[in-house]
Amino acid sequence: MTLARITSYAEADEILTSRRFAQESKHESAPLVGGTVLVMDGPAHLRRRRLLAPLMSRTALAAYDDVVARTLDECIRAQGDDLVPLGRSVFLQLAASMIGLGDLGARTPRLLALLGPLLEAVTVEWSTRDHAVVLAEGLAARDALVTQFPALPGAAGTLATLMAGRPDEWDDEAAVREVVLFLAASTLNNAALLVHVVDELSRRPVPDDVLPAALAETLRLYPPTVALLRRALTDVTLRDGRLVRAGEHVAVDLHAANRDPAVFGADAEEFRPGRAVAERARPWGLTFGSGPHLCLGRAVVTGTAVTPGVHLRILARLRELGVRPDPDRPPVFAPTAQRRHDSYPVLLASSENRGA
Ligand code: HEM
């Protein structure tokens, strides 16, 4: 199999937006997320996206923000010494409300324990551990999730209710996989982003009014998913003349494309919030993908004209508490080719401030 690596922003964007390339990112993790919106293509994919759109309505986004506002201090009290479990537990509350698992409360540690192996298995393609072991652990966690965390029947506006109303689209197995995708999508990358932004700001502090731009700049420099795979469905000649043959696979390198000087300037490798970017680009580059598979949850992260995005709320609270890396406990990277941590210990100014 030939695998061309795509590093220019223009080529990356053209491939991701083209319907002449198919999704190829998730073969090994198919037992967990096969058949979900992430891996579908063509008209069936479009139909699935439309069905899922209500989960990102303006009302839904406001509700997720409320959940984070209500549960943040408790998560900080329980997990405030390490940004990885903290980020995961905050976004678990959001995911649980989106999926329809109800208020997690005291059930949070139990779900957190299942989340670790699930997240590793959903991204097994990138794991540096034995892939068969990672998948087996993930499938065991998934089985425990199904038995221990049933969706609340009839809870309005949730993924579970939406799927229950469309048995023609989701049978039981497909519904469990979609839940696993949403659980992973709303926790994994968000926890990674929280670590990267606190880490970056600890080295290059910015005033509060620059935080939205600092978040976007962190997203650009550290895309949690470093590459997306696609397969050409026909011979495709890209606008710059590059020919990709039918059947050829391409790895769209988001990390490289997001540092393309043609779009982000000669100092594209630098952390410079608020930088000017080429007209066609977003400040976070291709971190949320582009085209048909563009991240469904982007507005949760970056906000909209009416909601600021949950990260700003979390960051603002952590900054109030004086968050900084713990000099005595070094961060631990996860066993994966993605740039992600298993642990990022921090200190907060004082435990009384944690809202306990
Ligand atoms: C920092 C946070 C996030 C990042 C960096 C991120 C990144 C991405 C990327 C790169 C894709 C495209 C995958 C591809 O083209 O193959 C994607 C798709 C997706 N994301 Fe996100 N995501 C984030 C947060 C979220 C959240 C909070 C949700 C909420 C549930 C979410 C749900 C999804 C879904 C459902 C898809 C599949 C869409 C489709 O294939 O049509 N993501 N995400």
Side-chain angles (χ1 to χ4, degrees), residues 6 10-18 21 230 238 244 250 252:
I6 305 295
E11 286 188 342
D13 196 30
E14 188 177 348
I15 289 170
L16 293 177
T17 46
S18 168
F21 287 87
R230 296 292 190 265
L238 300 181
V244 186
V250 289
V252 178

Side-chain angles (χ1 to χ4, degrees), residues 23 25 37-38 45 49 56 98 181-182 185-186 189-190 193 219 224-225 228 230 254 286-289 292-297 300-301:
Q23 175 63 284
S25 296
V37 64
L38 178 62
H45 172 249
R49 289 256 325 185
M56 298 299 158
M98 187 184 301
L181 173 70
F182 272 75
S186 34
N189 291 337
N190 275 315
L193 171 60
L219 280 161
T225 302
L228 302 172
R230 296 292 190 265
L254 302 184
L286 294 172
T287 288
F288 295 100
H293 287 280
L294 179 72
C295 176
L296 208 64
V300 174
V301 184

